[in-house]
C-alpha cells in the first residue's frame, strides 16, 4: 500500500510544452490507486487533449468554468472540497501570476482559490521568464502563503535555451506529493516563541551598534516548527527576510524592546528559543542630535543590556522550556556548556562563528548540549539544520514533561 492510495488528487494542467509530462504523472498516481480528477486551463487544451486525459485518469476531464454539464456532474466548489491535494503540472508563469493575485478567471484558478487542500506547484517556463524579478516575487509570495513547490530544474529547454525553468520529471513530482502527505503535523497544540536576527542599539539619530546576524537561522527554525503544526511567534530584529507561512511575527529594533516582547510572549508559550544575536551593551546616553565630527577621538560609554534568555529561564512561574544559542569563536563547547548552566537553560546550541562562518551564511553546523547529553549536527543548509534542531528540542521538551 502506498501513502497515496485512495487519496483524492486534482491534477491541474496549464498551458506549456511540459503539459505532455502530466500524462506520465497521472499514470503514476493511478498505479498507486489514487483517485484522480483532471482540470485543464483553456491554453493547456491546446497541448494535451481531454480525451487522452480522460482515458488515463479514468474520469471525465473538466476545463470550463461555465460548462452546465460538468457543473451538474461535480461543480467547481464541490471539486475544490473533494480534493485532498491539488498538483499543478506544469504551472506556467501566467498561472503563477494569476494565483498570486487571487484571480478566479478560469476553472483551475477558481478551484485553487476555493480549496482548503494543499497545493503543489511544478513550475515550467523559459529560463528568462523564470529569472524575471516579477516571477521570483510571485514564487516568494506563494511560498509565504504555504504553497509547495517542486522544481523547476536546470537543463536544456524546448526553446533551445539552457537554465532554470525546465519542469521536474513526473517521478520527482510524485515523490514531492508523497512527502506532502508524509509530513508530520505532530506539533499541533504546541506553542513556541523564537527570537531571531540582530538588535540595533542607537548611538544618535543616524548611527547604531549592531552585528552581522541575518536572521536566517531563527527564521528557518520558526518555519520548521510551523510546518509541523506548532503555533509560532517570531520576535525579530531588523532583517530582510519574508515571514514564514503561518508564523506570527513581532518586529523589534533594540535589545530592550526584544526583552519586553520576549518576556511577554515567554509566559504565554511552552517553548522559548533565543536565536537572536542580542547586543550585550547599549550606549548609556543616546545623543539627541547627530554627533558632529569635531574631535579626533570620541568615547562612548556603554551599559549592559538585560540578558533576555536568562530572565526567561529564571521565571518563577509559567517558565517555558528554554533553549539558547551560543555564538563563540574559541573554546566553543566549554563556553556553551558554561552558558547552559549560568543562564539556567534546558538546552544550548553551540555555534562556531570563527573566521566569518555562520553569520549571514546559508549553512551552519551545531553542537547541541542539554543536562545529560549532546549531539553534533554536521554542516548543512540552515533549513535542514533547523529541522533537526526542532526534532531534538521537541524530544527533550516531551521528556521534560
Ligand atoms: O542570523 P544568522 O545570520 O542566520 O546567524 C545565526 C546566529 C549566529 C545569529 C545564531 O545561530 C546564533 O548563534 N545566535 C546566538 C547569538 C548570540 O548572541 O550568542 P551569545 O553567545 O552572545 O548569547 C547566548 C544566548 O544568550 C543566545 O541565546 C542569545 O540570544 C542570548 N542573549 C544574549 C545577550 C542578551 N543580552 N540577551 C540574550 O538573550
Amino acid at each position: 500500500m502506498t501513502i497515496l492510495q485512495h487519496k483524492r488528487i486534482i491534477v491541474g494542467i496549464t498551458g506549456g510544452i511540459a503539459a505532455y509530462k502530466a500524462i506520465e504523472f497521472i499514470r503514476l498516481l493511478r498505479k498507486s490507486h489514487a483517485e484522480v480528477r483532471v482540470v485543464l486551463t483553456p491554453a493547456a487544451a491546446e497541448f494535451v487533449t481531454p480525451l487522452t486525459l480522460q482515458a488515463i485518469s479514468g474520469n471525465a476531464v473538466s476545463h470550463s468554468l461555465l460548462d452546465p454539464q460538468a457543473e451538474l456532474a461535480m461543480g467547481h466548489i464541490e471539486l475544490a472540497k473533494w480534493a485532498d491535494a491539488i498538483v499543478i503540472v506544469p504551472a506556467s508563469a501566467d498561472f503563477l501570476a494569476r494565483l498570486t493575485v487571487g484571480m478566479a478567471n478560469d476553472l483551475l484558478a477558481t478551484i485553487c482559490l476555493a480549496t482548503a487542500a494543499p497545493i503543489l506547484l511544478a513550475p515550467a517556463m523559459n529560463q528568462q521568464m523564470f529569472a524575471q524579478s516579477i516571477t521570483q516575487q510571485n514564487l516568494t509570495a506563494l511560498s509565504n502563503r504555504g504553497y509547495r513547490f517542486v522544481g523547476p530544474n536546470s537543463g536544456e529547454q524546448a526553446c533551445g535555451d539552457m537554465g532554470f525553468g525546465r519542469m521536474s520529471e513526473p517521478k520527482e513530482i510524485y515523490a514531492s506529493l508523497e512527502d506532502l502527505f508524509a509530513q508530520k503535523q505532530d506539533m499541533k497544540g504546541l506553542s513556541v516563541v523564537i527570537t531571531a536576527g540582530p538588535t540595533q542599539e542607537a548611538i544618535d539619530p543616524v548611527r547604531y551598534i549592531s552585528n552581522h546576524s541575518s536572521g536566517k537561522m531563527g527564521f528557518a527554525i520558526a518555519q520548521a516548527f510551523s510546518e509541523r503544526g506548532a503555533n509560532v511567534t517570531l520576535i525579530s530584529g531588523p532583517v530582510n527576510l519574508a515571514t514564514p507561512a503561518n508564523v506570527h511575527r513581532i518586529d523589534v529594533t533594540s535589545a530592550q524592546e526584544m526583552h519586553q516582547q520576549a518576556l511577554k510572549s515567554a509566559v504565554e508559550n511552552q517553548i522559548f528559543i533565543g536565536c537572536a544575536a542580542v547586543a550585550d551593551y547599549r550606549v548609556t546616553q543616546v545623543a539627541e542630535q547627530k554627533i558632529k565630527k569635531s574631535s579626533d577621538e570620541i568615547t562612548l560609554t556603554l551599559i549592559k543590556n538585560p540578558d533576555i534568555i536568562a530572565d526567561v529561564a529564571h521565571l518563577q512561574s509559567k517558565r517555558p522550556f528554554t533553549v539558547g544559542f551560543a555564538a563563540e569563536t574559541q573554546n566553543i563547547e566549554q563556553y556553551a556548556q558554561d552558558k547552559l548552566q549560568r543562564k539556567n537553560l534546558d538546552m544550548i546550541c553551540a555555534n562556531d562563528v570563527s573566521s566569518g562562518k555562520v553569520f549571514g551564511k546559508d549553512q551552519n553546523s551545531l553542537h547541541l548540549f542539554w543536562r545529560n547529553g549532546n549531539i553534533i549536527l554536521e554542516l548543512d543548509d540552515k533549513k535542514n539544520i533547523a529541522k533537526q534542531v526542532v526534532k531534538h528540542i521537541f524530544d527533550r521538551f516531551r521528556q521534560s514533561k
Side-chain angles (χ1 to χ4, degrees):
M1 180 180 144
T2 75
I3 197 164
L4 294 179
Q5 187 170 11
H6 304 314
K7 290 285 187 303
R8 297 186 295 200
I9 313 295
I10 291 179
V11 178
I13 307 179
T14 72
I17 189 68
Y20 77 93
K21 290 191 190 172
I23 295 170
E24 173 61 8
F25 175 63
I26 295 166
R27 205 186 59 74
L28 292 173
L29 290 178
R30 290 298 308 278
K31 220 172 134 193
S32 60
H33 304 289
E35 282 185 59
V36 182
R37 297 261 172 183
V38 179
V39 179
L40 287 174
T41 63
E46 302 289 328
F47 291 89
V48 277
T49 69
L51 201 61
T52 309
L53 296 164
Q54 180 175 315
I56 299 285
S57 69
N59 279 311
V61 171
S62 312
H63 47 86
S64 170
L65 188 56
L66 307 168
D67 178 350
Q69 283 303 322
E71 282 292 298
L72 211 59
M74 194 187 266
H76 60 277
I77 298 294
E78 221 175 326
L79 257 177
K81 286 185 179 159
W82 172 86
D84 291 319
I86 298 178
V87 191
I88 313 290
V89 187
S92 65
D94 169 74
F95 190 74
L96 293 172
R98 288 195 282 126
L99 214 53
T100 308
V101 290
M103 287 181 76
N105 57 341
D106 67 19
L107 179 63
L108 187 55
T110 306
I111 289 172
C112 288
L113 203 57
T115 195
I119 300 179
L120 176 66
L121 301 158
M125 66 199 75
N126 164 269
Q127 52 85 23
Q128 190 59 42
M129 290 167 76
F130 182 69
Q132 285 293 349
S133 60
I134 184 65
T135 307
Q136 291 300 315
Q137 281 167 27
N138 290 341
L139 293 167
T140 306
L142 291 169
S143 166
N144 289 341
R145 270 185 240 155
Y147 288 79
R148 320 287 177 100
F149 288 90
V150 48
N153 294 339
S154 177
E156 192 176 352
Q157 304 199 288
C159 56
D161 279 9
M162 287 290 288
F164 275 99
R166 196 186 146 98
M167 192 175 86
S168 298
E169 294 305 315
K171 276 188 181 162
E172 290 174 67
I173 303 170
Y174 179 88
S176 286
L177 185 61
E178 280 188 318
D179 280 355
L180 191 148
F181 281 108
Q183 207 163 64
K184 290 186 241 155
Q185 286 274 302
D186 54 350
M187 294 191 187
K188 277 200 183 302
L190 183 77
S191 61
V192 186
V193 55
I194 300 149
T195 67
T199 63
Q200 289 178 358
E201 311 301 323
I203 297 172
D204 68 14
V206 297
R207 304 180 180 95
Y208 57 79
I209 299 171
S210 191
N211 58 66
H212 297 295
S213 171
S214 62
K216 286 179 186 171
M217 192 67 244
F219 274 56
I221 292 173
Q223 180 173 348
F225 266 115
S226 171
E227 282 176 358
R228 287 180 68 173
N231 228 322
V232 182
T233 301
L234 179 61
I235 303 173
S236 177
V239 296
N240 195 13
L241 295 175
T243 314
N246 303 318
V247 166
H248 171 58
R249 174 168 169 180
I250 300 169
D251 284 318
V252 296
T253 303
S254 67
Q256 283 180 303
E257 280 170 25
M258 188 175 274
H259 183 253
Q260 192 192 357
Q261 292 295 340
L263 282 170
K264 192 162 158 257
S265 300
V267 292
E268 295 163 357
N269 287 273
Q270 294 161 285
I271 298 178
F272 182 95
I273 302 161
C275 189
V278 185
D280 288 322
Y281 293 89
R282 67 180 184 278
V283 176
T284 312
Q285 200 67 49
V286 180
E288 272 180 31
Q289 304 300 332
K290 184 181 170 192
I291 300 171
K292 300 308 286 177
K293 198 170 52 176
S294 47
S295 55
D296 285 347
E297 279 186 11
I298 59 164
T299 304
L300 290 174
T301 308
L302 304 180
I303 183 172
K304 232 183 194 168
N305 269 325
D307 192 319
I308 301 170
I309 206 157
D311 286 354
V312 168
H314 284 100
L315 279 170
Q316 292 306 307
S317 72
K318 297 189 179 169
R319 175 192 184 276
F321 184 87
T322 310
V323 181
F325 271 69
E328 306 291 353
T329 55
Q330 57 177 335
N331 303 331
I332 323 285
E333 278 75 21
Q334 186 201 321
Y335 287 160
Q337 289 182 78
D338 174 53
K339 279 178 184 164
L340 178 76
Q341 300 289 339
R342 192 161 35 85
K343 299 194 184 209
N344 193 35
L345 307 178
D346 297 296
M347 192 186 215
I348 195 151
C349 310
N351 230 181
D352 176 358
V353 297
S354 60
S355 321
K357 288 193 282 240
V358 192
F359 276 95
K361 302 288 188 296
D362 288 329
Q363 292 197 316
N364 197 6
S365 61
L366 290 172
H367 195 160
L368 273 44
F369 292 93
W370 52 98
R371 300 278 159 170
N372 51 5
N374 70 91
I375 189 165
I376 292 174
L377 309 181
E378 302 291 353
L379 187 71
D380 204 340
D381 277 1
K382 282 181 178 166
K383 291 211 166 162
N384 292 332
I385 289 285
K387 284 182 187 159
Q388 296 180 62
V389 168
V390 161
K391 177 198 169 304
H392 289 292
I393 293 176
F394 192 47
D395 286 350
R396 301 272 85 72
F397 168 73
R398 278 189 302 189
Q399 276 180 14
S400 72
K401 292 284 129 195

